[in-house]
Amino acid sequence: MALFDRLKDQAKSLQQQAQGGRGTTGGHGSQTGSRAGSHGGSGGGSRAQLVGLLKNQLGSIKTELKSGAYRDASMAMCALVAAADGHVDASEMQQMEQMILSNEVLQNFPPEQLRTRFHKHVEQLTRNFPQGKAEAMQDIAKAAKKPTEARAVIQTGIVIAGADGHFSQAEQMVLREACAALGLNPAEFQL
């Protein structure tokens, strides 16, 4: 529990830096690590609080996250998180779509663009997971050119993965693989 409390304090401190004068790019990853590191020793309320902090932190850099590369990478990341356990049922698709469309940062993009890209990736992943995963990773890798966007893609994936209060091993695995595609160290995110 002490580790969780330390990570939570670090996340709050970094959030305050981001609001006051924007912390370093590395600070964004540290906040993400706080969320990922909270799995296991925390209650659901604390987990939800950290997901909220990440959402706020992403909101603070919303104006920097308007590129097509970020949009495509985020939708691929969301589809990978949704399909991480090997299947996606209709209710899960609807819930995931609602989370995407209500996400403050993703509101930078027309809803139909988000739906189309998300559904394309989910269909590919459910039809042939290895091939769909390879195609999703190609879209994710597009965000590697801009470190802020690359980190935001991972943060978006963690926010989406943590929205249901459960952060599975399969979700952590696809997030680690996405880090590799983006040239990021998973340890930066405590993955």
Side-chain angles (χ1 to χ4, degrees):
M1 194 64 170
L3 174 63
F4 170 72
D5 290 336
R6 193 179 85 224
L7 292 171
K8 184 175 160 184
D9 291 342
Q10 182 183 19
K12 285 181 182 178
S13 171
L14 290 169
Q15 177 64 29
Q16 290 169 350
Q17 288 176 3
Q19 289 172 346
R22 289 279 261 304
T24 65
T25 304
H28 302 315
S30 296
Q31 288 178 349
T32 304
S34 299
R35 162 60 189 98
S38 71
H39 181 69
S42 66
S46 298
R47 222 176 282 145
Q49 183 180 17
L50 287 174
V51 169
L53 283 172
L54 276 178
K55 285 181 183 178
N56 289 339
Q57 193 276 323
L58 282 167
S60 73
I61 59 171
K62 178 180 178 175
T63 58
E64 296 176 45
L65 302 174
K66 292 185 177 183
S67 76
Y70 171 73
R71 176 201 58 212
D72 295 352
S74 293
M75 290 305 90
M77 185 79 259
C78 290
L80 273 173
V81 166
D85 63 0
H87 71 282
V88 183
D89 61 34
S91 66
E92 190 177 8
M93 279 278 286
Q94 184 177 15
Q95 182 182 28
M96 184 69 74
E97 189 174 303
Q98 285 177 324
M99 285 189 287
I100 290 167
L101 296 178
S102 66
N103 182 286
E104 178 185 357
V105 175
L106 294 174
Q107 289 176 358
N108 281 337
F109 308 102
E112 204 47 48
Q113 287 181 9
L114 300 174
R115 269 192 204 94
T116 300
R117 284 161 177 80
F118 174 69
H119 286 277
K120 176 192 91 162
H121 281 293
V122 170
E123 288 172 20
Q124 291 170 333
L125 287 160
T126 54
R127 186 173 52 246
N128 180 335
F129 188 81
Q131 181 180 347
K133 184 175 166 184
E135 291 179 24
M137 288 297 176
Q138 286 178 349
D139 271 359
I140 288 169
K142 291 178 184 178
K145 294 175 185 170
K146 295 182 181 177
T148 299
E149 288 185 3
R151 285 178 176 82
V153 168
I154 300 300
Q155 289 174 313
T156 300
I158 291 171
V159 166
I160 296 294
D164 64 358
H166 179 69
F167 195 48
S168 74
Q169 286 294 108
E171 290 168 339
Q172 290 179 50
M173 178 62 88
V174 296
L175 285 161
R176 281 192 292 272
E177 292 178 38
C179 284
L182 291 165
L184 299 172
N185 183 349
E188 177 182 341
F189 303 94
Q190 303 296 313
L191 293 170

